[in-house]
Amino acid sequence: MARFIFITGGVVSSLGKGLASASLGALLQARGYKVRLRKLDPYLNVDPGTMNPNQHGEVFVTDDGAETDLDLGHYERFTGVNARRSDSVSSGWIYSTLLTKERRGDYLGGTVQVIPHVTDLIKEFILKDTDQEDFILCEIGGTVGDIEGLPFLEAIRQLGYELGRERVMYIHLTLVPYIAAAKELKTKPTQHSVKELRSIGIQPDILLCRADREIPLSERRKIALFCNIREDAVIQALDVGSVYEVPKRYSEQGFDRQVLKCFGIEDKGAPDLGKWDEILDRIQHPKGEVTIAIVGKYTGIGDAYKSLSEALDHAGIANQARVHIRWIDAAGFEKEDVAKALQDVNAILVPGGFGERGVSGKLAAITYAREHNKPYLGICFGMQLATIEFARNVLGIKNAASTEFGPYQESDDRGPLVGLMTEWLRGNVLETRKRDGDMGGTMRLGAYECNLSNGSLAAQIYGNASIEERHRHRYEVNVQYRDVFEKADMLFSGMSPGGNLPEIIEYKKHPWFVGVQFHPELKSRPFAPHPLFASFVKAALKETKQDKKEAA
Ligand code: GLN
């Protein structure tokens, strides 16, 4: 029977609860246990699918097509376990399920209340599909004290009561800030945060204390005494150079040992962290470096392209090179700026995106990459735009565009180059969408198969004739244009099994120019860097050598 570990946060948000949870998952795994991680988010959106990445960070997509919080990406990267729809839930989803049941009459005329009805649904969600694992780690989004979070905290309190302390434990992540004027680390916010948690009936078993410097033993003792926690269960969470260092640093302080102790499980020796040492060594001792420009619309916050920057780091691990990212805001980036901004980068990437704003800047960057032999990777929108750029500037189809930008000027009977798809096959099942349907959860979402053309760069990179990648988009490149593109050496080298949906394009007259309709970054892992990114960074490294040759 699975044991449950609940992770809450206090004092401020953005302390890295997701990474802390993922790291603990990895440590338990390294001790031979089977783990699964879950995220419970208190906001009222049904899922993050319609949320602005500038506000909430990227939307992570699972194989089974759920649009989830970006923390699920950390979970997958740290544990290698594919997340499922049943690993992410929000208050919005809980309430909409509850209200559907109420309308159906499921509550038989009873008064529907937060306790027990909302809390019961939350508990049901936490307990579902957990018979294969040793540990389920559930991270509660938000910060203790948030009004929306209360039903979740009540639900996990009840689970502690119902399942007993042998099967449930609580970890609380707080901040111990350094106050420059006093030259001291302050424990009061942590004390208050724990007090808040205890007032709801939850006594944390372990405290993780984020601090920017070593917390002296005397202060850790103080925290332990005032928060009613064993001294060795007050773990420091200090800032580190790479996120992949976190599991090791935690383990050095006995975090995983303390977790076992809480459950009364015998400690059979240290976890095997050999593979973590290996990647850290590669990260800390790079033999080369490259700079890659990412031309996108949400360049203001790092979290908006989290999986992407991680995938590039993984490709750095694969090539033992440091990958620097130059973020370029596509909005307001015009032809005149392009050469100046891009001439010294080693590769260019246009990521996924939505809407027409910033498109001209992205198209200019793609033209630059194509004409100057800079390795180019176009992801989803970045592939659609690469076809539009090629059609307009190489094939002379001046009005080539996407119906995403508004009504399309037909120039012939092939229709729009990139158009809204309203029907497609997932395996043998026909999926359909309405033009004026809901925005949420209605894209082509999740893992789909793709067949690669013999002898193509794509087939060579993947080393396979058939692959599966995750999707999140409404529009598709129109296959009717395949002939004209291929005659001009732009191959449609990856296609959906039915042959209708172009999934990969590659330009034969260029050292490395690839566009993919899916999001390969979602499947990249530090221990299994994604082949496309590894190959892209390798091409960028080659470009640096080219640079040097030209300079000499
Ligand atoms: N906006 C495009 C579409 O919906 C691309 C989406 C994306 O890049 N994820 O098809």
Side-chain angles (χ1 to χ4, degrees):
M1 261 191 302
R3 293 177 167 90
F4 294 85
I5 302 175
F6 295 109
I7 300 118
T8 56
V11 185
V12 292
S13 57
S14 303
L15 288 180
K17 236 183 315 151
L19 278 173
S21 309
S23 299
L24 177 59
L27 288 174
L28 291 169
Q29 226 181 20
R31 284 176 173 268
Y33 295 106
K34 207 160 169 218
V35 300
R36 173 163 293 283
L37 286 111
R38 295 203 152 146
K39 178 81 193 277
L40 291 84
D41 271 309
Y43 49 70
L44 287 172
N45 304 64
V46 171
D47 62 38
T50 52
M51 290 164 95
N52 184 340
N54 271 333
Q55 238 182 59
H56 192 72
E58 81 172 2
V59 175
F60 190 79
V61 181
T62 57
D63 272 342
D64 59 1
E67 294 177 283
T68 71
D69 188 82
L70 61 82
D71 278 329
L72 273 81
H74 293 313
Y75 306 162
E76 285 202 359
R77 288 188 286 271
F78 275 62
T79 64
V81 177
N82 279 343
R84 300 189 290 231
R85 185 174 289 278
S86 55
D87 294 328
S88 166
V89 78
S90 67
S91 291
W93 187 88
I94 296 281
Y95 280 102
S96 85
T97 308
L98 179 106
L99 294 176
T100 310
K101 279 159 85 94
E102 189 273 338
R103 292 290 79 186
R104 226 170 30 208
D106 287 10
Y107 296 108
L108 306 172
T111 310
V112 181
Q113 294 177 297
V114 173
I115 305 171
H117 301 101
V118 171
T119 46
D120 278 356
L121 269 183
I122 297 173
K123 287 193 289 182
E124 206 179 287
F125 176 85
I126 293 171
L127 296 172
K128 206 164 59 191
D129 294 337
T130 54
D131 43 355
Q132 301 298 315
E133 281 84 13
D134 299 307
F135 291 100
I136 308 293
L137 288 79
C138 289
E139 177 191 345
I140 316 294
T143 309
V144 167
D146 297 346
I147 290 177
E148 296 104 324
L150 282 173
F152 287 98
L153 296 177
E154 170 60 14
I156 65 171
R157 181 197 69 76
Q158 290 181 13
L159 279 175
Y161 172 77
E162 288 163 5
L163 301 179
R165 301 313 304 266
E166 316 73 56
R167 286 190 60 204
V168 171
M169 70 167 290
Y170 304 98
I171 296 174
H172 191 53
L173 175 67
T174 73
L175 176 70
V176 178
Y178 181 76
I179 303 298
K183 295 201 179 62
E184 260 180 343
L185 282 164
K186 290 293 183 188
T187 65
K188 195 71 83 191
T190 297
Q191 295 175 40
H192 277 289
S193 182
V194 172
K195 189 167 155 228
E196 183 80 32
L197 204 52
R198 287 167 66 189
S199 74
I200 318 168
I202 296 175
Q203 165 67 53
D205 300 290
I206 294 181
L207 275 186
L208 279 179
C209 300
R210 273 305 293 270
D212 66 354
R213 65 204 66 206
E214 187 83 19
I215 308 172
L217 185 61
S218 58
E219 297 309 292
R220 276 182 274 152
R221 284 199 169 132
K222 192 159 128 192
I223 295 174
L225 180 65
F226 291 163
C227 298
N228 205 24
I229 285 170
R230 273 182 295 108
E231 216 174 280
D232 46 10
V234 177
I235 309 282
Q236 308 182 64
L238 304 180
D239 298 346
V240 287
S242 158
V243 293
Y244 299 114
E245 229 176 295
V246 177
K248 255 192 97 82
R249 299 288 157 261
Y250 278 163
S251 192
E252 279 161 9
Q253 293 188 64
F255 185 25
D256 41 326
R257 207 167 353 128
Q258 290 304 324
V259 169
L260 296 189
K261 196 165 165 186
C262 275
F263 285 120
I265 301 173
E266 190 196 341
D267 176 4
K268 294 200 187 112
D272 177 6
L273 297 178
K275 64 175 190 175
W276 291 91
D277 288 333
E278 258 168 54
I279 59 162
L280 278 179
D281 184 56
R282 291 176 81 88
I283 292 171
Q284 285 156 358
H285 304 102
K287 293 193 175 134
E289 56 186 326
V290 290
T291 301
I292 293 178
I294 297 186
V295 187
K297 218 167 55 174
Y298 318 112
T299 48
I301 65 162
D303 276 357
Y305 297 111
K306 192 78 216 161
S307 295
L308 186 59
S309 56
E310 290 298 312
L312 286 168
D313 279 348
H314 305 160
I317 295 174
N319 288 286
Q320 200 156 2
R322 180 155 294 153
V323 178
H324 304 281
I325 297 178
R326 181 176 301 168
W327 297 102
I328 296 181
D329 184 1
F333 179 68
E334 295 302 339
K335 271 204 180 90
E336 313 71 80
D337 314 316
V338 171
K340 205 165 129 228
L342 298 178
Q343 64 193 358
D344 60 336
V345 301
N346 309 112
I348 297 167
L349 192 155
V350 174
F354 293 84
E356 201 173 2
R357 196 171 60 84
V359 159
S360 63
K362 293 178 191 178
L363 287 172
I366 297 170
T367 310
Y368 188 85
R370 184 177 52 74
E371 289 178 347
H372 293 82
N373 282 342
K374 295 271 184 197
Y376 173 75
L377 176 57
I379 295 179
C380 205
F381 205 31
M383 158 178 166
Q384 297 172 356
L385 293 178
T387 62
I388 292 172
E389 193 279 332
F390 196 77
R392 287 185 189 171
N393 301 331
V394 179
L395 303 177
I397 310 172
K398 291 288 172 232
N399 63 346
S402 168
T403 51
E404 183 169 2
F405 312 150
Y408 190 78
Q409 264 283 318
E410 305 269 339
S411 58
D412 57 42
D413 55 9
R414 283 176 300 202
L417 174 57
V418 182
L420 180 68
M421 276 293 285
T422 49
E423 293 192 350
W424 60 85
L425 281 176
R426 180 195 281 270
N428 294 323
V429 182
L430 182 70
E431 302 210 338
T432 55
R433 301 287 185 262
K434 290 202 197 89
R435 256 164 225 283
D436 53 355
D438 280 352
M439 290 299 275
T442 54
M443 287 187 253
R444 180 147 86 101
L445 287 168
Y448 283 85
E449 218 182 305
C450 159
N451 295 333
L452 308 179
S453 308
N454 252 340
S456 61
L457 175 63
Q460 188 192 321
I461 290 172
Y462 277 94
N464 219 326
S466 165
I467 56 164
E468 225 184 61
E469 292 280 8
R470 297 183 192 169
H471 290 247
R472 180 173 185 258
H473 53 104
R474 271 193 188 85
Y475 301 85
E476 304 278 351
V477 172
N478 182 347
V479 70
Q480 310 280 342
Y481 287 83
R482 185 172 187 171
D483 280 356
V484 276
F485 270 74
E486 296 206 328
K487 265 190 211 124
D489 286 315
M490 182 67 93
L491 302 189
F492 286 20
S493 55
M495 297 295 294
S496 62
N500 285 330
L501 307 177
E503 304 275 26
I504 305 181
I505 57 162
E506 59 186 71
Y507 190 29
K508 281 211 300 200
K509 286 196 187 140
H510 188 284
W512 208 101
F513 190 103
V514 177
V516 293
Q517 184 57 76
F518 43 80
H519 288 271
E521 70 274 22
L522 300 175
K523 283 179 61 166
S524 185
R525 312 266 167 86
F527 303 109
H530 194 288
L532 260 179
F533 284 95
S535 171
F536 178 52
V537 166
K538 194 170 170 190
L541 277 163
K542 233 188 232 160
E543 208 270 353
T544 59
K545 291 188 191 117
Q546 200 69 30
D547 265 3
K548 279 188 200 123
K549 237 190 265 161
E550 273 162 26

